[in-house]
Amino acid sequence: AERGMAGSGWARAVRGLLLDVSGVLYDSGADGGVPIAGSAEAVRRIKASGLKLQLCTNETQATRENFVRKLRALGFDISVSEVTAPAPAACRLLRERGLRPHLLVHDDLVPEFADIDKTNPNCVVLGDAAENFTYANLNEAFRLLIGMEKPVLISLGKGRYYKETDGLKLDVGAYMKALEYACDVQAEVVGKPAKRFFESALAELGVPAEQAIMIGDDIVNDVGGAQQCGMRALQVRTGKYRPSDENHPEVKPDAYVNNLAEAVDIILQQL
Amino acid sequence: AERGMAGSGWARAVRGLLLDVSGVLYDSGADGGVPIAGSAEAVRRIKASGLKLQLCTNETQATRENFVRKLRALGFDISVSEVTAPAPAACRLLRERGLRPHLLVHDDLVPEFADIDKTNPNCVVLGDAAENFTYANLNEAFRLLIGMEKPVLISLGKGRYYKETDGLKLDVGAYMKALEYACDVQAEVVGKPAKRFFESALAELGVPAEQAIMIGDDIVNDVGGAQQCGMRALQVRTGKYRPSDENHPEVKPDAYVNNLAEAVDIILQQL
């Protein structure tokens, strides 16, 4: 506790926490993943303290319902309303702008778009489609885009790659770049680090930016993105964290913590 | 002929021609393609005139042998030694630098690399792999690259897309961009518009740049690339030519011709 208290001015006057999920709560994998030690207990302690909590994830391989089911099976006390994810944010954007998407996404994500008109598409929505990233599906999405007077490409994140138990996988950002180049367009990214996505998460958290702290393992998409919205942001030394992150040329977290449990220790001491 | 002669100073002192193939000699398609009117006769007239001739193509869906077989079936008097293509150029580069490729290419191109050591790969060679652009194959190429101390990605062209009888297809350049982004590397492009590739074609033509003319349908990869090597270059109004090409902000051909036959008319009148 003494070590944790040192220089912890960053933890003052906090009323809510935004938590990244993969690499903070658990490490993902084909087998469902493994919880990070102390994280399930940390979530319980946050809730018991009266702090507000919202998960802020770029997960697009499952509906929020299935994602929450997985987290609960791993021991996390989380409900669907406590998850901010790209697909619902994309649905709001589609409705606002009268866009009818062609979906190139994971099969398990499709139900998130059940209430959206998908006839006669006038945009393409790209998620981490995984096995659905076939030659035929990519050509189909490309042809629709290039055939539009003004192609609209909406990408659920822009990650380069991620790690699963059976190895590294290309993430949605790589396929986004392929379509951007072929169609000479720039994708609109929904999800972290988009400012609007963090603002949605804050609205769902019910706490203004200056009273919220983002906790994540991604120096750019979690920490940098949250700070751009006026939040404080911590980087955990779990998940995809690498020591070289601490020398990032542009992004400097308000603090480093070894893991979520340590972050919660320090924050609760300040309440 | 009178019209053709007007302003044809560009045709003087020419000793050899470099010809793009798809869109100049024929329009490609799953059924083997269709010759462009007058082009087979134009090739015969070039040869009868004593001008040297070399085809300069970014074709990577077949070995040169099979490519030439297809052209001969369409009526073109062409031999294998008259074709400069990216795969043999890539093989020279691989040998020079002691590189052992992992190939992500079309099945029909693989024999071009028969004599190249492919054990324990230290680079990835990317061609227009078409149906071989699967999720699994892309992840495999990505993992090999990201695992290299200094990733080397060699791309056989950087086209955005092309048209076949059954519709538009993403070309190798789109997949190149995906891997570049995921691995944070820049690909080395073999094929047009690489200067070195045009220089190989000129060496095989046996004519210096200032006595050669490139004839193609691609304003950037054919015309711009050839001019950067000191050649004159014509754009034909066949193949992927679009009227908007004539307002290209950076590239201006030495002349426009309606098709290869017209170009040959004008050139032969100057001899």
Side-chain angles (χ1 to χ4, degrees):
Chain A
E2 208 165 338
R3 183 169 69 81
M5 289 294 291
S8 54
W10 57 264
R12 280 179 303 208
V14 58
R15 287 183 48 223
L17 302 180
L18 289 185
L19 307 185
D20 177 35
V21 181
S22 179
V24 175
L25 298 193
Y26 80 122
D27 286 320
S28 62
D31 49 358
V34 182
I36 292 172
S39 287
E41 177 63 20
V43 167
R44 275 190 290 275
R45 291 167 65 208
I46 293 166
K47 292 192 165 186
S49 74
L51 284 174
K52 294 191 173 183
L53 176 146
Q54 186 77 13
L55 306 190
C56 183
T57 177
N58 271 8
E59 167 70 36
T60 62
Q61 283 205 2
T63 59
R64 279 183 303 173
E65 285 71 14
N66 283 333
F67 186 56
V68 163
R69 196 168 297 135
K70 186 168 80 170
L71 291 175
R72 294 185 68 87
L74 292 172
F76 293 97
D77 175 21
I78 292 294
S79 62
V80 170
S81 64
E82 288 169 324
V83 177
T84 301
C91 288
R92 283 194 297 275
L93 182 151
L94 295 167
R95 281 200 194 90
E96 278 171 22
R97 286 169 45 189
L99 292 170
R100 301 177 305 276
H102 169 80
L103 300 177
L104 179 45
V105 302
H106 198 286
D107 286 345
D108 294 346
L109 195 70
V110 172
E112 292 274 20
F113 297 88
D115 296 337
I116 300 285
D117 180 6
K118 293 179 283 285
T119 57
N120 188 19
N122 57 6
C123 74
V124 167
V125 169
L126 190 69
D128 177 14
E131 301 290 345
N132 279 347
F133 281 132
T134 63
Y135 181 61
N137 285 348
L138 284 163
N139 280 330
E140 184 186 14
F142 160 67
R143 272 179 220 138
L144 281 164
L145 278 173
I146 201 84
M148 292 172 193
E149 198 177 341
K150 192 180 176 325
V152 175
L153 174 60
I154 295 168
S155 189
L156 305 179
K158 59 173 193 175
R160 291 162 57 203
Y161 59 89
Y162 55 87
K163 189 175 182 175
E164 292 207 322
T165 43
D166 62 340
L168 295 177
K169 306 280 174 74
L170 288 168
D171 198 359
V172 61
Y175 294 95
M176 175 188 89
K177 289 288 173 184
L179 291 174
E180 283 187 337
Y181 177 71
C183 303
D184 196 18
V185 294
Q186 181 140 29
E188 303 175 40
V189 177
V190 173
K192 298 178 286 188
K195 188 168 186 177
R196 184 174 163 167
F197 186 70
F198 279 111
E199 288 169 349
S200 295
L202 283 171
E204 290 170 21
L205 184 66
V207 164
E210 61 275 14
Q211 297 181 343
I213 297 177
M214 171 78 201
I215 303 176
D217 66 336
D218 187 317
I219 183 73
V220 170
N221 291 305
D222 292 329
V223 175
Q227 287 178 332
Q228 294 240 317
C229 292
M231 273 177 267
R232 287 162 276 176
L234 310 184
Q235 190 178 10
V236 289
R237 295 194 180 98
T238 53
K240 73 169 85 164
Y241 162 86
R242 293 183 304 177
S244 63
D245 291 343
E246 305 205 15
N247 305 314
H248 194 281
E250 281 149 37
V251 182
K252 191 173 160 49
D254 291 271
Y256 280 97
V257 287
N258 286 324
N259 49 48
L260 178 63
E262 187 185 70
V264 172
D265 281 344
I266 298 171
I267 290 165
L268 296 189
Q269 286 165 24
Q270 294 280 331
L271 288 184
Chain B
E2 208 166 337
R3 185 170 68 84
M5 289 293 290
S8 54
W10 56 264
R12 281 178 303 210
V14 60
R15 287 182 48 222
L17 303 180
L18 290 184
L19 306 185
D20 178 34
V21 182
S22 178
V24 176
L25 298 193
Y26 80 122
D27 286 317
S28 62
D31 50 358
V34 182
I36 291 170
S39 287
E41 176 64 17
V43 166
R44 274 190 292 274
R45 292 167 65 209
I46 294 167
K47 291 191 167 186
S49 73
L51 284 173
K52 294 192 172 182
L53 176 146
Q54 186 77 16
L55 306 188
C56 183
T57 177
N58 270 7
E59 168 67 38
T60 61
Q61 284 206 4
T63 59
R64 278 185 304 174
E65 285 72 14
N66 284 335
F67 186 54
V68 163
R69 196 169 298 135
K70 186 169 78 168
L71 291 175
R72 294 185 68 87
L74 291 173
F76 294 97
D77 175 22
I78 292 295
S79 62
V80 170
S81 65
E82 290 170 322
V83 177
T84 301
C91 288
R92 286 194 296 275
L93 183 150
L94 295 168
R95 280 199 194 88
E96 278 171 21
R97 289 171 40 190
L99 291 170
R100 301 178 305 276
H102 169 80
L103 301 177
L104 179 45
V105 301
H106 198 284
D107 285 346
D108 293 346
L109 195 71
V110 172
E112 292 275 20
F113 297 88
D115 296 338
I116 300 284
D117 180 6
K118 293 178 281 291
T119 57
N120 188 19
N122 56 6
C123 75
V124 167
V125 170
L126 190 68
D128 177 14
E131 301 289 346
N132 279 346
F133 281 131
T134 64
Y135 181 61
N137 285 348
L138 284 163
N139 280 330
E140 184 186 12
F142 159 67
R143 272 178 219 138
L144 280 163
L145 278 172
I146 200 84
M148 293 172 191
E149 197 175 343
K150 193 180 174 325
V152 175
L153 174 60
I154 295 168
S155 188
L156 305 180
K158 59 172 190 174
R160 292 162 59 203
Y161 60 90
Y162 54 88
K163 187 174 181 174
E164 293 208 322
T165 42
D166 62 340
L168 296 175
K169 305 281 175 75
L170 288 168
D171 198 1
V172 60
Y175 293 95
M176 176 189 91
K177 288 289 172 182
L179 291 174
E180 282 187 338
Y181 177 71
C183 302
D184 197 18
V185 294
Q186 181 139 30
E188 302 176 41
V189 176
V190 174
K192 298 177 287 187
K195 188 167 187 175
R196 185 173 162 168
F197 186 70
F198 280 110
E199 287 169 351
S200 295
L202 283 170
E204 289 168 23
L205 184 66
V207 164
E210 60 275 15
Q211 296 180 347
I213 297 178
M214 172 78 203
I215 302 175
D217 65 336
D218 187 317
I219 183 74
V220 170
N221 291 304
D222 292 328
V223 175
Q227 288 178 331
Q228 294 239 317
C229 291
M231 272 177 267
R232 286 162 278 175
L234 310 185
Q235 189 177 10
V236 288
R237 295 195 181 99
T238 54
K240 73 170 88 165
Y241 162 86
R242 293 184 303 175
S244 62
D245 291 345
E246 305 203 18
N247 305 314
H248 194 280
E250 281 149 35
V251 182
K252 191 174 160 49
D254 291 271
Y256 279 96
V257 287
N258 286 324
N259 49 49
L260 178 63
E262 186 185 70
V264 171
D265 281 344
I266 298 171
I267 291 166
L268 295 190
Q269 287 166 22
Q270 295 279 331
L271 286 185

